[in-house]
Amino acid sequence: MKKIIAIVAGGDSSEHDVSLRSAEGIDSFLDKEKYEVYTVEIQGMTWEAHLKDGRRAAVDRGDFSFADGDRRIRPDFAYITIHGTPGENGILQGYFDLIRLPYSTSDVLVEAMTFNKFTLNQYLKGFGVAVSESLLVRKGFEHLVTDAEIVEKIGLPCFVKPNEGGSSFGVTKVKEADGIRPAILKAMHESDEVMVESFLDGTEISCGCYKTRTKEVVLPITEVVSRNEFFDYNAKYNGQVQEITPARLKPETAERVSLVTSAIYDILGCSGIIRVDYIITHGTDKEGKESEKINMLEINTTPGMTATSFIPQQVRAAGMDMKDVLTDIIEDKLS
């Protein structure tokens, strides 16, 4: 009997449709000789399974089952590819824990922490991970920090972004002080908390990683060269970016990035595939020699999974097959 895999997609954020594209990618990668695959789309209180004949079936939230003709389907495994709430912040993971259904991502605590950018930065800073200077602004308490205080602490230019959410929507690069308040209001359309973060001038890269009981894989690094001010929605999804895998880094720098990525995975206790984004800044050390600092930007625990997304690119560059990678992750959780 084939195991039944539910690819759980959609969600309640602005990246709902992007998530559905990732679901299509995962569906194309999965081993159909081993698994029977359904996509379950979630939006608010509407949970529906996409059936093979094009119809949709309501999902019973009591046990995550649904009807397909005369069959009652209860998936054996949930592959979560929601970008944003409720699949990337621990809410859906808590639900699956309650109904004893194994899933592809990290657990509730890890998901909640990595989704909250400010909390993640403060936590990893304690382990020696370099992050940019930042501060938090909460809805209803915006008056507690002035623009002048933000400029003094963070400097200009700076990034204003939703604290809880992806990096595709609601993000502004602010160059002048009078742009701070409009940027905060824009970010608050995506999240009740906003992070103001110092600008780092350097090379943007991304590195994927996954581990099982028997395997540890740190993928080749991707260099991100955006034609825009930063790696925004248009750069990500409308081709306004050059993605170079493997990245044009010194071998010793690439090795350091891989080690940091693996360490972060273990510090947090991650599970499944993650992608860590960094900025490498360049400077000089105390002896006047050129130095490179690896600054973590954010961690994505449900990374994009279309054919052209970073993770599939990196898997191909490693000489691996996405089908085998997904099988590794699923079988590790089911064993």
Side-chain angles (χ1 to χ4, degrees), residues 44 58 115 164 200 204 266:
F115 194 66
E164 293 188 322
L200 296 175
E204 186 165 353
D266 292 340

Side-chain angles (χ1 to χ4, degrees), residues 210 215-220 273 311-326 328:
Y210 77 94
K215 188 178 293 187
E216 177 177 321
V217 179
V218 180
L219 295 167
I273 299 176
I311 293 297
Q313 283 186 49
Q314 294 173 9
V315 167
R316 288 193 296 271
M320 302 165 64
D321 192 304
M322 278 301 303
K323 180 173 71 173
D324 298 329
V325 170
L326 298 185
D328 281 347

Side-chain angles (χ1 to χ4, degrees), residues 41-80:
E41 183 178 351
I42 290 176
Q43 187 164 29
M45 297 300 287
T46 302
W47 294 24
E48 294 180 327
H50 297 197
L51 305 181
K52 305 296 187 287
D53 60 6
R55 292 182 300 113
R56 299 191 176 196
V59 172
D60 182 344
R61 285 187 290 274
D63 62 358
F64 205 61
S65 67
F66 53 90
D68 186 358
D70 295 332
R71 297 172 64 202
R72 192 73 195 171
I73 304 293
R74 186 182 189 275
D76 298 293
F77 185 87
Y79 200 104
I80 302 171

Side-chain angles (χ1 to χ4, degrees), residues 162-307:
N163 186 48
E164 293 188 322
S167 54
S168 298
F169 295 92
V171 181
T172 305
K173 182 179 179 181
V174 178
K175 298 178 182 179
E176 303 291 342
D178 60 6
I180 292 174
R181 289 297 142 176
I184 289 174
L185 290 174
K186 176 181 175 182
M188 281 185 175
H189 286 297
E190 299 291 329
S191 170
D192 286 346
E193 294 182 339
V194 172
M195 184 168 75
V196 184
E197 187 177 42
S198 62
F199 169 72
L200 296 175
D201 187 14
T203 304
E204 186 165 353
I205 60 170
S206 188
C207 183
C209 178
Y210 77 94
K211 301 185 183 187
T212 66
R213 292 181 182 87
T214 60
K215 188 178 293 187
E216 177 177 321
V217 179
V218 180
L219 295 167
I221 301 159
T222 298
E223 179 181 349
V224 182
V225 184
S226 177
R227 299 181 194 138
N228 301 341
E229 282 280 353
F230 59 95
F231 191 45
D232 61 4
Y233 182 89
N234 282 323
K236 286 182 181 179
Y237 303 115
N238 294 329
Q240 297 174 11
V241 67
Q242 184 181 12
E243 299 166 3
I244 303 165
T245 309
R248 299 169 297 183
L249 300 176
K250 298 175 184 176
E252 57 268 27
T253 303
E255 177 64 20
R256 285 173 58 209
V257 171
S258 295
L259 289 172
V260 171
T261 302
S262 180
I264 288 172
Y265 195 104
D266 292 340
I267 289 167
L268 294 173
C270 292
S271 186
I273 299 176
I274 70 166
R275 198 191 76 227
V276 187
D277 299 338
Y278 303 94
I279 289 277
I280 298 180
T281 52
H282 306 268
T284 55
D285 59 22
K286 294 178 181 179
E287 298 175 354
K289 296 180 181 178
E290 182 184 346
S291 65
E292 293 182 321
K293 185 177 181 182
I294 301 167
N295 306 274
M296 190 210 71
L297 289 179
E298 62 180 71
I299 297 174
N300 194 320
T301 58
T302 62
M305 294 291 279
T306 67

Side-chain angles (χ1 to χ4, degrees), residues 137-144 188 192:
V137 180
R138 290 192 172 96
K139 183 174 284 188
F141 298 91
E142 301 93 331
H143 61 283
L144 294 180
M188 281 185 175
D192 286 346

Side-chain angles (χ1 to χ4, degrees), residues 84-97:
T85 188
E88 204 172 8
N89 56 0
I91 293 173
L92 201 55
Q93 287 77 7
Y95 162 75
F96 285 136
D97 285 340

Side-chain angles (χ1 to χ4, degrees), residues 31 34-35 322-332:
D31 186 347
K34 185 181 289 283
Y35 306 118
M322 278 301 303
K323 180 173 71 173
D324 298 329
V325 170
L326 298 185
T327 298
D328 281 347
I329 291 166
I330 292 169
E331 293 304 315
D332 187 62

